[in-house]
Amino acid sequence: MAAICVFCASSRTLDQRWLDLAAETGAELARRGHTLVSGGGCVGMMGALADGARAAGGRTLGVIPQALVDLEVADLASDELLVTDSMATRKTLMIDKSDAFLTLPGGLGTLDELFEVWTTATLTLHTKPMVLIDTDGFYRPLLDWLGTLADQHFLKPAGLQLLTVANSIPTALDALESHLT
């Protein structure tokens, strides 16, 4: 099956519902036979995601910069853990190792990763599918703003259409899988 990269929060102070969403996402990826590619952390949603995948028998590949390994937040239980010299190298390697991208709720780091992969897709540097899970309207304000960018010609409609928005994990994975076959 596919190597699916999931971007999500690594905060230790999140509500349990976000951790549950991440764990459910990891488990569903594993049940469908996909390899999880993640940021290689063991905390927050990122940790719950990897734990959920492994608990359901899935394979995990983590990509993490040495600075975060030094902070002792690396997912040492990963089937494969790649350590990079920087966050920029981490993102490049995550893009290279993945067949598709899924974005869960998150903060600045999650948005940075989403926009990196989306920008490179708009430049046709890759054609890998991207899905954003908009649980409970989490990303609605961002999506509205992006629509305004397109309306004002700062973003081509074709670029906006490269990102699929889903409201559930099964719908998101169905969308990714439909582009992978």
Side-chain angles (χ1 to χ4, degrees), residues 1-4 26 28-36 53 58-60 173 177 180:
M1 296 305 293
I4 298 181
E28 185 63 19
L29 282 169
R31 281 192 289 274
R32 292 182 183 220
H34 300 298
T35 294
L36 167 66
R59 182 175 186 283
T60 59
L173 293 179
E177 290 170 344
L180 290 170

Side-chain angles (χ1 to χ4, degrees), residues 17-154:
R17 72 183 185 127
W18 301 119
L19 301 175
D20 294 343
L21 175 69
E24 182 184 340
T25 301
E28 185 63 19
L29 282 169
R31 281 192 289 274
R32 292 182 183 220
H34 300 298
T35 294
L36 167 66
V37 178
S38 77
C42 65
V43 296
M45 290 176 72
M46 198 180 306
L49 174 74
D51 289 344
R54 283 191 292 272
R59 182 175 186 283
T60 59
L61 165 63
V63 184
I64 189 166
Q66 183 64 52
L68 295 180
V69 173
D70 295 344
L71 291 175
E72 299 181 350
V73 296
D75 180 13
L76 300 177
S78 286
D79 292 300
E80 186 176 359
L81 187 66
L82 303 176
V83 180
T84 65
D85 62 350
S86 68
M87 292 293 279
T89 304
R90 173 201 208 183
K91 287 187 292 186
T92 300
L93 193 54
M94 289 170 78
I95 292 169
D96 290 345
K97 294 284 185 182
S98 302
D99 300 310
F101 304 92
L102 180 64
T103 302
L104 296 175
L108 291 176
T110 302
L111 291 172
D112 176 53
E113 292 163 336
L114 167 64
F115 282 115
E116 175 88 13
V117 75
W118 195 359
T119 299
T120 54
T122 64
L123 298 171
T124 64
L125 298 176
H126 72 82
T127 58
K128 300 173 184 180
M130 303 167 291
V131 175
L132 177 78
I133 295 185
D134 188 28
T135 303
D136 298 334
F138 183 88
Y139 283 112
R140 179 53 30 210
L142 175 65
L143 294 168
D144 290 344
W145 176 71
L146 290 166
T148 300
L149 287 181
D151 291 345
Q152 295 181 19
H153 307 286
F154 286 102

